[in-house]
Amino acid sequence: MGWQSLLSGRELLSLSLRWHVGDGSSIFYKENVWISSLFPCAPRPIQGHNPKVTRVCQLLNPRHIFGIYALLRENFNQQDIQHILSIPVSMFLMEDFLAWH
């Protein structure tokens, strides 16, 4: 019974976690929760989105700032784009990490 309690506690804890974006390489944008203003959901890709884009690092490359908006428009609705663009992006190579929401 002790292990079952620990496992159910772990499941409950995971429902309150979201990814904090560092370099975005560990975060799958469709499967993971990574935008705090959309918690507990992930952004929903629009119909006809680019299937080659799978990770957040492909969406938030500060070196290609002018191409980011076009890429976001190909994949998300305007409301989700505003949420994504509000995420602060570091110029330093930080790892993504799970954070308590």
Side-chain angles (χ1 to χ4, degrees):
M1 188 155 145
W3 282 108
Q4 290 175 339
S5 296
L6 286 174
L7 291 175
S8 65
R10 184 178 75 176
E11 288 178 29
L12 183 61
L13 175 67
S14 70
L15 295 174
S16 299
L17 295 176
R18 70 169 180 84
W19 281 96
H20 178 82
V21 179
D23 65 5
S25 63
S26 303
I27 306 169
F28 291 95
Y29 85 84
K30 288 190 273 186
E31 293 88 9
N32 299 133
V33 177
W34 55 282
I35 302 174
S36 62
S37 56
L38 293 178
F39 186 83
C41 301
R44 295 172 308 278
I46 60 173
Q47 188 173 5
H49 69 278
N50 184 342
K52 293 180 182 178
V53 178
T54 59
R55 295 185 187 258
V56 172
C57 62
Q58 294 170 280
L59 300 170
L60 301 177
N61 187 340
R63 294 183 183 162
H64 302 104
I65 191 71
F66 297 110
I68 289 174
Y69 193 72
L71 184 62
L72 291 174
R73 279 197 332 256
E74 289 176 11
N75 291 285
F76 301 101
N77 65 45
Q78 191 61 36
Q79 184 178 8
D80 284 349
I81 291 171
Q82 295 306 315
H83 290 289
I84 293 167
L85 291 175
S86 70
I87 296 172
V89 179
S90 175
M91 296 298 284
F92 304 104
L93 295 177
M94 296 175 33
E95 289 186 22
D96 306 313
F97 61 89
L98 285 169
W100 184 267
H101 183 76

